Amino acid sequence: MMKVITVEEHFESAKVTQAMAAAAGQQSQPTVSPEMAHYMQTTLPTPAIMQDVAKDRLEFMDRYDIDMQVLSYGNAQPQNLDPKDAVPLSQLANDELAKAIQVAPTRYAGLAVLPVGDPEAAAQELHRAVEQLGLKGVLLKGNYAGKFFDDPFFFPIFQAAADLNVPVYFHPSFVPPVITQHYFESDHWSEVVSGIFGSAGYGWHMDVGIQVMRMILSGIFDKLPNLKLVSGHWGELVPMFLERLDDELDQYAGLKRHFSAYYRDNVYVTPSGILSQPQLNFLLEEVGAEHILYSIDYPYKQPESAATFLTDAKLSVSQREAIAHRNAERVFNLN
């Protein structure tokens, strides 16, 4: 049977969630309407499911022939708290994740949480997480204090990732309310539709795709040519526009190479549970099988085709094995 590794699978720690709630008492938090809050309470995974690493998660993996999950905290993490809280809570989160991995160390790996408001402390924590705890990279969500991660302020984080040869996974998160209001709200549909449209339906993906494009335009890959980014949801809309971006930006961006060349060399894409043959076909043409990794987005997504998508897809043997496990082993240093 083919080995399968999925690389965007989410986890929460009760201890971290409780500590975050205590620390966030005086800090602003995203607000949602009562209707959206009800939707979230009734459709999102329960804390018990998010925190489980010993039963339901392993049963899901066994049922769908998944050998390993690379675990990350997603949005329930202390990244964006005030650094005085984010530094110790990121350490706690990484310690808790490392403990969770030890429940089944051949089945799990993990990505670190970083206190991005203090980039030097974040870089130190990434070194500790990788070198002492054995984590395999970092997941960054959304942006911080209105700044995208291409801002030079955050450079120490990416320098550390490049030095350690570990990837940075960019994950969607809440967009500023002014963007939601302008693009996604309407008097003609419900607040739930606006909330979904502006988050997991589309808005989050637009936002984090822009994040990846800004990283390329910042010139960071000329400074750190071995830096690796991972982008979920089939590349968060960006691959559709690579040729257009070359045509429109190359002449003015001051980069040493075509925009698309950086993307195809330094960015890896995953489906995040959007198991679609047409999108797979397109990404095979645009970035190639060596830059596609497999992901389910468990427990948010639990598609019935999780076990059959790769086996049924129109792929060569080498393409199928690259996407199923070889690329993940290479990018996340899982051998």
Side-chain angles (χ1 to χ4, degrees):
M1 294 178 64
M2 178 176 61
K3 183 177 182 180
V4 174
I5 299 172
T6 59
V7 301
E8 186 190 329
E9 320 307 322
H10 296 304
F11 163 79
E12 293 178 9
S13 158
K15 185 182 292 187
V16 172
T17 300
Q18 292 166 3
M20 285 172 56
Q26 304 278 321
Q27 300 182 40
S28 61
Q29 297 295 303
T31 58
V32 296
S33 70
E35 294 86 352
M36 191 64 183
H38 176 74
Y39 161 79
M40 294 168 68
Q41 291 166 1
T42 56
T43 62
L44 297 182
T46 65
I49 293 172
M50 295 298 301
Q51 294 162 16
D52 167 67
V53 290
K55 185 179 182 295
D56 290 346
R57 186 183 300 265
L58 288 171
E59 290 175 358
F60 172 86
M61 293 168 67
D62 290 343
R63 185 162 65 251
Y64 292 103
D65 298 326
I66 297 168
D67 295 274
M68 175 179 280
Q69 286 188 346
V70 179
L71 305 178
S72 56
Y73 279 87
N75 279 309
Q77 53 147 296
Q79 169 191 297
N80 284 358
L81 296 177
D82 186 288
K84 69 179 176 61
D85 298 312
V87 171
L89 290 184
S90 294
Q91 294 169 348
L92 174 64
N94 294 329
D95 289 343
E96 288 295 298
L97 180 55
K99 289 179 185 177
I101 290 167
Q102 289 309 306
V103 171
T106 65
R107 308 297 301 276
Y108 299 135
L111 303 180
V113 173
L114 298 182
V116 298
D118 183 341
E120 294 294 343
Q124 292 176 14
E125 177 58 14
L126 183 56
H127 274 274
R128 185 186 79 92
V130 172
E131 295 172 335
Q132 298 181 29
L133 301 181
L135 301 185
K136 301 300 183 179
V138 55
L139 182 142
L140 300 180
K141 65 168 186 171
N143 53 62
Y144 176 77
K147 295 180 180 179
F148 284 95
F149 289 111
D150 64 288
D151 192 295
F153 175 75
F154 301 108
F155 185 78
I157 296 171
F158 298 98
Q159 178 74 70
D163 290 346
L164 290 162
N165 189 33
V166 297
V168 178
Y169 203 125
F170 278 135
H171 189 269
S173 190
F174 294 97
V175 300
V178 65
I179 294 176
T180 297
Q181 292 160 9
H182 181 68
Y183 283 115
F184 306 116
E185 292 182 356
S186 172
D187 294 336
H188 303 293
W189 54 69
S190 71
E191 291 185 353
V192 171
V193 170
S194 294
I196 297 170
F197 187 19
S199 60
Y202 191 88
W204 283 359
H205 310 297
M206 176 185 75
D207 187 68
V208 76
I210 290 170
Q211 170 74 269
V212 172
M213 291 188 286
R214 291 180 66 105
M215 293 295 291
I216 294 172
L217 289 171
S218 76
I220 197 167
F221 296 114
D222 290 333
K223 301 181 183 77
L224 303 173
N226 72 316
L227 177 65
K228 297 185 289 291
L229 304 183
V230 184
S231 183
H233 308 96
W234 294 120
E236 313 288 8
L237 311 173
V238 177
M240 179 71 74
F241 283 86
L242 291 180
E243 281 68 30
R244 179 71 165 178
L245 289 161
D246 284 350
D247 288 345
E248 298 293 337
L249 288 174
D250 278 359
Q251 183 178 350
Y252 307 102
L255 299 173
K256 295 180 179 179
R257 306 168 63 209
H258 293 305
F259 182 101
S260 63
Y262 295 100
Y263 194 93
R264 292 182 174 115
D265 283 353
N266 294 89
V267 180
Y268 296 80
V269 301
T270 88
S272 306
I274 306 173
L275 305 184
S276 158
Q277 180 74 49
Q279 293 193 57
L280 173 59
N281 293 345
F282 180 74
L283 268 297
L284 287 169
E285 291 291 332
E286 283 293 333
V287 304
E290 295 301 313
H291 276 251
I292 302 173
L293 304 94
Y294 199 39
S295 68
I296 298 300
D297 203 5
Y298 179 90
Y300 297 102
K301 301 296 180 184
Q302 301 182 38
E304 287 299 317
S305 59
T308 58
F309 177 66
L310 290 180
T311 55
D312 292 350
K314 297 173 183 176
L315 296 166
S316 69
V317 172
S318 62
Q319 287 175 325
R320 185 172 289 109
E321 292 187 350
I323 295 168
H325 69 93
R326 283 207 321 263
N327 295 339
E329 290 165 341
R330 172 169 51 88
V331 173
F332 290 92
N333 301 305
L334 295 175
N335 289 321

